[in-house]
Amino acid sequence: MDYKLYALTTCPFCQKVIGFMKKNNIEDKIEIRYIDEEPAYKEELVEGGGQKQVPCLHYGDTWLYESDDIIDYLKENLL
């Protein structure tokens, strides 16, 4: 599965998810796309997911929001 995490560099909820990924050594399985560093990523997020809320984990046809929901998904599917 191709995973992308849309995030902001200064968002504490994004950092919570990224911290979880690092702690569990899965950061190499998910591409992090910082929407504040690359405008095209923000456009992808809004066009694909319908909103600019971060963090957002995109995989397949799914756009998953909310840091706790993302972490729960990662626990169940990538650990």
Side-chain angles (χ1 to χ4, degrees):
M1 182 87 52
D2 185 27
Y3 293 100
K4 296 174 184 75
L5 180 70
Y6 291 86
L8 283 169
T9 55
T10 58
C11 170
F13 299 104
C14 298
Q15 295 308 314
K16 177 180 176 179
V17 174
I18 294 167
F20 174 83
M21 291 165 43
K22 288 180 180 179
K23 179 180 177 184
N24 290 280
N25 297 313
I26 58 172
E27 70 268 22
D28 60 333
K29 297 179 181 180
I30 302 168
E31 178 185 353
I32 301 173
R33 294 186 166 193
Y34 289 104
I35 66 170
D36 52 339
E37 293 180 355
E38 178 56 59
Y41 292 159
K42 184 176 182 179
E43 290 177 26
E44 288 175 15
L45 175 63
V46 173
E47 288 177 17
Q51 52 187 321
K52 62 179 178 179
Q53 178 183 338
V54 291
C56 177
L57 180 65
H58 176 235
Y59 56 95
D61 294 330
T62 302
W63 297 82
L64 182 61
Y65 298 90
E66 301 297 332
S67 58
D68 289 336
D69 293 342
I70 293 170
I71 289 171
D72 288 343
Y73 175 86
L74 296 176
K75 284 179 185 176
E76 293 174 15
N77 295 280
L78 292 180
L79 295 185

